Structures are given as structure tokens and as C-alpha cells.
Amino acid sequence: MSKVFVLDAENRLLNPIHSAQARQLLRNKKAAIYRRFPFTIILKESHLSPVQPLRLKLDPGAKATGIALVNDATGEVVFAAELKHRGFTIRDALTSRRQLRRGRRTRKTRYRKPRFLNRTRLEGWLAPSLQSRVDNIKTWINRLSKLALIGAISQELVRFDMQLMRNPEIEGKEYQQGTLAGYETREYLLEKWNRQCTYCGVKDVPLQIEHIHPKAKGGSNSITNLTLSCEKCNLKKGTNDIRDFLKKDPNKLQKILLQAKKPLADAAAVNTTRYALLEVLKATGLTVECGSGGLTKFNRNNQNLPKNHWLDAACVGKSTPFLVIKGVKPLLITANGHGTRQSCRTDKYGFPNRHCSRTKFHFGFQTGDIVKAVVKTGKTVGEYIGRIATRATGSFNISTRNGLVQGISHKYCSAIHKKDGYSYALGKI
Ligand SMILES: [Zn+2]
């Protein structure tokens, strides 16, 4: 188990403790549950002890972001999470809204000339789907900083470190990804050459770093002279000049030579979302360390760790200690948003068929809360835990692990975790 966050009676941050210790405190009534996700307990007495700061590490991705809290002194991963973003949902919802509005505007009106370029965007504007990714991460930094003492932040900012690659010394060892510069170079080449063999286009096979103008004939180690090829093509080409090797395919030769000359400042290395996130992180006032994707991979492979989002996050940056990950279970967080404001819902053809009340809260509950219901009488006697859908009548539905239970009165329900825009699950070790 990951560790459990602890607060004292005055809401002061304490060192996270082992889950067995937390269970004992709860059993002895010395603490109460403060929050379910992430699991946090609050002591019933105030407690003053020195607290060790942790490092918050982030690996932002398009679909999911890895989050890890690491104790730099011991290398222990105290908390790990994978935050799934809703970027594509937002894009689809906005497209749907735009189309509906366009249809409505033009339905019974005279022709109007399109007016365009008549809106300004603030500096630093991001598309809503990208902004939501930044905001999701911001939310979780805020939440975690209320549960654990965060002393520093590490973020993976770029895919590869240009500085390290200016003059890579590609010698024997680097072919097997020996040093950090070798990792950065390989990551860069994979991106530049589309993760496939330059000569035959084969994918998903081990690729070797290849000199376009062979070294034996005076070719340099400069990044513009390097490409990737499969073992077969590499052997076949040998020390042949590329012009001889691709004599029969001048088109491909032209393409490869052009692609090789493309400058280092490649668009693939720059990611606006990551830079926007960096600004958010800097605004916290903590020291922010930036790492590259090559460095993350280098750290991960050196410690023989599998590839997943939270381990990638834990491996970000030069500060990475030898990680202790025994028993760490990541919290899988999915961003779901806060629902819709529509009060007239339609069937799949767009015809209105039901109505939702304007108020979200009914009897202190709202749709999306996780509740425990203990029903003692009637047809649905039993104990249920799950997400509720509320109704103005006070008769709720609970979606439990074993399916949907309908018609549970609000009187039997008690909230376990109030709706906060995210859903949770526990990942495998
Ligand atoms: Zn090949």
C-alpha cells in the first residue's frame, strides 16, 4: 500500500504513515477518516513533530499525467497517481455545441456575410482541451499540498535535451544506449525519423543508430548525419555510401537527405501545454526542477523499472534517488468534469424527452456523490456503496459494483466522498 496522509487535530501536516499504522489508529479511535481519495486520516489530538518535505514529480502527457510524491532522502515513493484527462471529451462537446448553434443561427435567417477575425485572444490562451489538462494538474497540486508537505517540484518539460545532443560522441557504447547523451540522441532520432527504419520503413523492431555518410568514409557524429535503421538494413548498407546504397530509389534518397538537414529546433520538442504548466508550477513559489524525456528514460532503465505513468513521473529530473517502490499502488484518477447545465435532455435523435431540475442538490446530496446506504426495511434491504444519481423526490439510484439499485431513499444514505469532478480506482502494484 501506498502510505496514508495524516493531519493533526489542528489540520497541521504530518509525515505520511504506513496503512497498517493508520488502521490501528482508526481502530483505537485515535483518528478519523478525513478524506477517502487520496486516503487521509485526521488525529484527534494535536501533534507537533518535524515533518520531512517531499518532492512532487510530474510527467504530463496528452491522455494521462503521472504524479508521484518522492522522499528524496530515502528514495521512497510515498504517493503515486495517474491522472486521466478529458481533453477529447471537451473537444467533442465544443464541436457539438458549435454545430448546434450554427444550425440554429442559419435556420430561418437571411444570408449574412461571415464575419471573422473579430475576436481577440488573451496572451497565453490555450485551447480549452489543453487548458483543462493544465487546470487538472493545478487542482491536484493544490489538493496534495493540503495533505503533505511539498518542498520542491520536478516536471518533465521537453522530450530531449538539446544541449546534451549538440555534439554527441556516438561511440560503441552509445549504440546500446549507454550514456545519458545516448538516450537523448536516441529519443530525438526516434521522433525525427518517425520511429521506423529510414530505409525500409519497418516499425516496432529494435532500431540502431546509423551514420548516413559512413564513418569509415569520413562521416561525422553530428546529429544531422545520424538516422535509425533496422539491423537488416544496417548490415546491408554497411560502409556503403548512401548514394550507392539507394541508387535504385532516387526519390527516397532525396527525401532522406532533406529530412537529415532539418534543424534541431524541431516542433516536436516544444509543447505549449508543458510550458503553460511550468508557469503554474513556478507560481507556487517552490523550486521547480525541469527534466527531459531522455533523462526520465535513462533513470527508469538504470533502475530496471517498468514503463507506466507514475513511475515515469518518479524518474523525472536529475534529483531522482534510487527509488523504493515496494507495495506502491497508484491511485487512478479520472477527470469527469462537473456535469451539464442542460435541464431539457433529449433522446438520441435530438427530441426532448425528459427534464432535469434546476437545482443540483437534493436533501444534501448531488449526483456523483459516493454514498453508503443501509436499507433495513422494504424490497431493497441491504447495504450498498456506490455513486448516486439524485432525484428531486428523494428516491435515489445507486450504481454499485454489482449493478444499479433503484429507488433508495435519501434517508438511508450517508456520504463517503462528495463529488469533486473526478472518479477514482486503485491500480495494480
Ligand atoms: Zn530496414
Side-chain angles (χ1 to χ4, degrees):
M1 260 309 262
S2 307
K3 291 216 162 174
V4 172
F5 295 118
V6 190
L7 303 176
D8 85 339
E10 263 121 274
N11 269 6
R12 279 185 295 240
L13 305 171
L14 296 176
N15 285 323
I17 56 171
H18 195 272
S19 55
Q21 206 185 340
R23 266 197 303 273
Q24 200 173 28
L25 285 169
L26 290 170
R27 208 182 308 129
N28 298 339
K29 307 254 151 84
K30 287 192 172 157
I33 295 172
Y34 180 74
R35 216 187 135 87
R36 295 278 168 160
F37 304 107
F39 198 70
T40 309
I41 61 171
I42 182 163
L43 300 180
K44 294 193 176 170
E45 285 169 6
S46 52
H47 191 91
L48 271 178
S49 70
V51 183
Q52 272 192 317
L54 301 170
R55 180 180 284 274
L56 176 71
K57 308 186 90 173
L58 300 165
D59 173 28
K63 281 189 185 140
T65 292
I67 301 174
L69 276 176
V70 177
N71 186 335
D72 274 346
T74 61
E76 190 185 12
V77 177
V78 175
F79 171 79
E82 289 183 13
L83 172 58
K84 235 167 120 190
H85 300 295
R86 50 191 296 263
F88 300 108
T89 325
I90 292 176
R91 186 199 57 195
D92 294 346
L94 288 177
T95 308
S96 153
R97 185 182 75 181
R98 188 166 53 239
Q99 286 168 345
L100 280 167
R101 285 184 176 173
R102 181 163 298 157
R104 190 156 61 222
R105 271 200 303 273
T106 55
R107 204 173 294 152
K108 281 183 185 123
T109 47
R110 63 180 167 82
Y111 173 75
R112 288 182 302 187
K113 239 166 105 181
R115 291 156 21 122
F116 61 102
L117 293 180
N118 60 354
R119 301 285 187 278
T120 53
R121 277 172 180 162
L122 292 175
E123 207 172 309
W125 177 91
L126 283 178
S129 57
L130 303 181
Q131 185 64 47
S132 106
R133 282 172 201 150
V134 176
D135 290 343
N136 285 161
I137 298 171
K138 197 170 157 190
T139 302
W140 277 94
I141 294 170
N142 284 340
R143 283 185 187 177
L144 289 173
S145 63
K146 281 176 193 155
L147 305 176
L149 184 65
I150 296 172
I153 302 179
S154 300
Q155 185 208 353
E156 187 181 304
L157 186 65
V158 288
R159 297 285 273 278
F160 14 79
D161 190 335
M162 294 295 177
Q163 221 62 47
L164 264 169
M165 279 188 325
R166 294 269 163 207
N167 197 8
E169 290 295 315
I170 301 292
E171 298 292 346
K173 226 178 152 192
E174 277 77 8
Y175 282 106
Q176 287 100 48
Q177 315 189 351
T179 60
L180 180 54
Y183 268 81
E184 301 285 2
T185 310
R186 178 172 287 267
E187 275 303 291
Y188 175 80
L189 290 174
L190 282 169
E191 198 63 41
K192 181 172 175 182
W193 295 97
N194 226 353
R195 290 172 195 276
Q196 60 186 18
C197 171
T198 316
Y199 303 122
C200 69
V202 67
K203 275 186 176 177
D204 300 318
V205 295
L207 295 172
Q208 302 177 335
I209 295 180
E210 225 272 322
H211 289 81
I212 295 174
H213 298 294
K215 266 193 95 179
K217 293 193 174 152
S220 79
N221 271 339
S222 149
I223 197 91
T224 49
N225 189 35
L226 297 176
T227 183
L228 294 166
S229 79
C230 65
E231 199 184 354
K232 232 166 124 188
C233 293
N234 201 357
L235 282 173
K236 219 158 103 192
K237 182 167 175 276
T239 56
N240 283 337
D241 194 273
I242 188 165
R243 280 168 236 281
D244 295 331
F245 181 62
L246 290 176
K247 223 187 291 174
K248 287 177 192 159
D249 197 348
N251 269 343
K252 190 177 255 176
L253 176 70
Q254 199 63 33
K255 234 167 108 186
I256 292 174
L257 290 179
L258 256 176
Q259 174 75 2
K261 273 197 197 126
K262 274 199 181 162
L264 280 182
D266 193 51
V270 186
N271 185 327
T272 38
T273 321
R274 288 177 169 205
Y275 279 90
L277 178 62
L278 180 64
E279 292 308 311
V280 169
L281 299 181
K282 278 183 184 162
T284 58
L286 299 167
T287 46
V288 182
E289 174 197 42
C290 294
S292 68
L295 179 59
T296 304
K297 204 171 170 189
F298 178 72
N299 286 336
R300 176 157 51 73
N301 283 10
N302 267 2
Q303 302 191 19
N304 272 329
L305 299 170
K307 174 162 178 59
N308 57 43
H309 292 296
W310 67 271
L311 276 173
D312 265 353
C315 288
V316 166
K318 276 194 185 131
S319 65
T320 307
F322 192 83
L323 296 171
V324 182
I325 58 158
K326 196 168 172 271
V328 176
K329 258 190 198 171
L331 180 65
L332 306 180
I333 307 166
T334 309
N336 293 323
H338 290 273
T340 162
R341 287 193 182 84
Q342 276 183 340
S343 47
C344 175
R345 306 284 167 88
T346 60
D347 63 15
K348 64 177 177 180
Y349 305 107
F351 289 104
N353 69 347
R354 61 199 188 276
H355 179 262
C356 282
S357 75
R358 257 159 216 258
T359 48
K360 265 189 167 178
F361 282 89
H362 302 297
F363 304 95
F365 295 96
Q366 69 172 319
T367 298
D369 289 349
I370 299 170
V371 302
K372 181 179 178 181
V374 184
V375 185
K376 296 227 169 91
T377 55
K379 269 192 265 179
T380 50
V381 173
E383 245 188 65
Y384 309 100
I385 293 178
R387 188 180 168 278
I388 51 166
T390 59
R391 271 195 220 109
T393 56
S395 162
F396 300 161
N397 293 346
I398 306 184
S399 45
T400 67
R401 207 177 282 172
N402 305 321
L404 186 74
V405 186
Q406 290 184 307
I408 302 284
S409 166
H410 69 92
K411 281 184 265 178
Y412 301 127
C413 297
S414 55
I416 283 180
H417 192 87
K418 289 284 187 182
K419 176 189 159 185
D420 58 2
Y422 295 88
S423 63
Y424 304 92
L426 270 184
K428 283 186 200 131
I429 295 177

